[in-house]
Amino acid sequence: MILGGLLLAAGPSNSETLVQFDRPGAHFTESCPVGNGRMGAMDFGGTAEARIVLNENTMWSGWPEDQNRPDAYRHRDEVIDLLLKGKNGEAEKLVNKYFTCSGPGSGQGNGKNGPFGCYQTLGELKILFDDRVGDVTKYRRTLDLANALSTTQWTTGGVTYIREVFASKPEESIFLRLRSSKPGALAFTGLLSRPENATVSAGLGKLSMTGRLGKSLDYLCTLRVRTDKGTVKFDSASGVVVRGATDAVIVVTASTNYSGPVSGSHWGTRYKEKVEEKSLLAIAKPWQEALESHKADYKRLFGACSLTLDGSASKSSTPTIKRLEAVSKGASDPGLAALYFNFGRYLLVSSSREGGLPANLQGLWAEELQTPWNGDYHTNINVQMNYWPV
């Protein structure tokens, strides 16, 4: 379909692979997450101001510290004896004294500033559009699970805008594309930020954000922009400023210096070199070529199976929340169950890939510095639940 000179993709109509919204997300669970198993982004679907939360799954505070109690086993028989005698309270006291860690441990799920640490957000990208003059109409936001692509579309001031986001494993980067139906109408400012441990600088055609977590985990996040026309200016204070464009591509690439102890294809001490290399290659790649490469790589995993349930009807234009509300009131929607099944597979493919870390409590998406329960790895049931979809 062509609207105002802008070619709009009709998009899939499969009710089993399309999550849909008719408004921006108000909180974390309403955002559209994308991920390549290492990096992730959450697009909240804003219009005049778009918030894109960024993640990299080795962003952990804390530091190595031995909190083991090597002599705990010496009290094992005593604990068993008390239990056999029905003295559970005394047994519990011994367990708490000798079979817990010798230090602060996980901080009761609030370990951000201690040696255990916690998983943290990489930061966020804010996109502030100049066009704020009119009411927003024709708003639509989708997360296409079949192609791992988040799309937001809206009209304001007589101009239609589209923002697309995906996280590419082949390019090891997050791609955003912004388009306007009116030539030269695309004007925005992009800002990288993080609440703490962050320094943002501009130079050599990019924004860079650097910092340190804990005692030794260093990170680097870069942002580059390519436009069809107009001007692009980078500044440490005001971010990247784009004026007079019709089509703009933003590439975000990030990594830490993590090199273990969990083995894998981590960039380690070469993280700065690799971020620079990958970001330059990514920004030079044509959008469609990068998108097709991403889709082919993703579908190799997501396309391993499919689920179709009898009685599924097309819900191509129905927001997912309304489908959920209808089912809660007794409506039949087998396609919603298939969508749920696919969403679980989508999240796992997007948050954990070969050579990287496993999915944590948040998958890899987090907007906080102190994530709930440290965003860590709970082996009581949570890790198992993350991997049920496989």
Side-chain angles (χ1 to χ4, degrees):
M1 177 175 67
I2 297 178
L3 177 61
L6 181 64
L7 182 62
L8 305 182
S13 60
N14 191 340
S15 65
E16 298 158 356
T17 57
L18 200 63
V19 183
Q20 303 181 81
F21 303 86
D22 58 2
R23 60 182 182 271
H27 48 77
F28 177 86
T29 54
E30 292 182 342
S31 67
C32 286
V34 298
N36 65 7
R38 187 182 66 84
M39 290 188 67
M42 298 154 49
D43 188 350
F44 284 69
T47 54
E49 178 176 322
R51 180 183 179 224
I52 315 290
V53 172
L54 304 172
N55 296 110
E56 202 277 355
N57 71 351
T58 61
M59 286 287 288
W60 271 82
S61 61
W63 53 89
E65 183 167 299
D66 187 353
Q67 300 182 53
N68 289 323
R69 294 186 189 272
D71 294 332
Y73 74 96
R74 298 183 186 278
H75 302 275
R76 171 183 175 275
D77 291 342
E78 186 178 2
V79 171
I80 292 174
D81 184 57
L82 288 170
L83 290 171
L84 291 174
K85 293 177 179 179
K87 298 180 180 181
N88 291 4
E90 294 180 40
E92 183 179 2
K93 289 179 181 178
L94 281 179
V95 168
N96 289 338
K97 183 176 181 180
Y98 295 109
F99 288 85
T100 56
C101 63
S102 62
S106 65
Q108 299 295 312
N110 290 284
K112 168 181 173 287
N113 296 316
F116 187 86
C118 76
Y119 180 61
Q120 299 190 356
T121 181
L122 171 63
E124 69 179 39
L125 165 62
K126 277 192 176 177
I127 301 174
L128 310 177
F129 289 89
D130 286 6
D131 193 348
R132 301 164 179 241
V133 296
D135 293 335
V136 171
T137 61
K138 300 179 182 178
Y139 182 92
R140 186 168 186 252
R141 180 163 60 103
T142 61
L143 179 61
D144 178 2
L145 306 181
N147 294 295
L149 179 68
S150 171
T151 304
T152 305
Q153 179 176 316
W154 71 97
T155 298
T156 185
V159 182
T160 295
Y161 296 91
I162 293 182
R163 178 173 64 253
E164 297 167 285
V165 186
F166 68 87
S168 168
K169 184 61 178 176
E171 304 303 326
E172 290 289 0
S173 300
I174 294 168
F175 285 75
L176 296 89
R177 187 184 190 187
L178 312 174
R179 292 179 286 163
S180 64
S181 62
K182 180 181 178 181
L186 196 58
F188 64 89
T189 299
L191 299 167
L192 276 180
S193 66
R194 194 174 192 274
E196 65 179 31
N197 302 322
T199 300
V200 178
S201 60
L204 301 176
K206 65 179 184 294
L207 289 180
S208 298
M209 185 168 66
T210 59
R212 171 170 289 185
L213 277 60
K215 295 181 178 179
S216 60
L217 189 84
D218 297 324
Y219 71 89
L220 168 64
C221 175
T222 66
L223 181 150
R224 296 180 183 274
V225 179
R226 182 182 75 240
T227 63
D228 60 338
K229 57 183 178 179
T231 60
V232 180
K233 295 181 180 179
F234 292 92
D235 182 81
S236 299
S238 55
V240 56
V241 180
V242 174
R243 297 288 183 271
T246 305
D247 193 325
V249 173
I250 299 174
V251 169
V252 178
T253 313
S255 179
T256 74
N257 63 348
Y258 177 83
S259 58
V262 178
S263 63
S265 53
H266 315 300
W267 293 346
T269 57
R270 298 178 61 236
Y271 77 106
K272 291 183 180 178
E273 172 190 337
K274 294 294 290 184
V275 168
E276 181 72 5
E277 171 193 329
K278 293 293 185 180
S279 66
L280 284 171
L281 289 172
I283 197 64
K285 181 155 289 193
W287 167 267
Q288 198 60 40
E289 185 178 336
L291 178 60
E292 292 305 320
S293 173
H294 152 70
K295 287 162 61 175
D297 170 79
Y298 168 76
K299 288 182 176 182
R300 177 176 57 87
L301 295 170
F302 185 80
C305 73
S306 62
L307 175 65
T308 301
L309 302 176
D310 288 345
S312 295
S314 175
K315 304 284 183 179
S316 60
S317 61
T318 304
T320 303
I321 186 65
K322 293 183 178 179
R323 295 175 66 185
L324 285 165
E325 291 170 348
V327 167
S328 72
K329 297 175 182 177
S332 175
D333 187 355
L336 187 63
L339 178 65
Y340 183 57
F341 170 80
N342 285 324
F343 189 56
R345 297 194 305 121
Y346 169 83
L347 292 176
L348 185 55
V349 170
S350 301
S351 63
S352 181
R353 297 286 291 268
E354 184 178 2
L357 297 180
N360 60 47
L361 287 183
Q362 304 277 133
L364 59 68
W365 300 277
E367 60 179 344
E368 309 94 344
L369 297 176
Q370 175 58 68
T371 43
W373 291 104
N374 296 321
D376 60 23
Y377 299 93
H378 279 42
T379 55
N380 52 3
I381 185 60
N382 299 116
V383 168
Q384 295 90 321
M385 290 172 68
N386 279 350
Y387 283 84
W388 280 348
V390 302

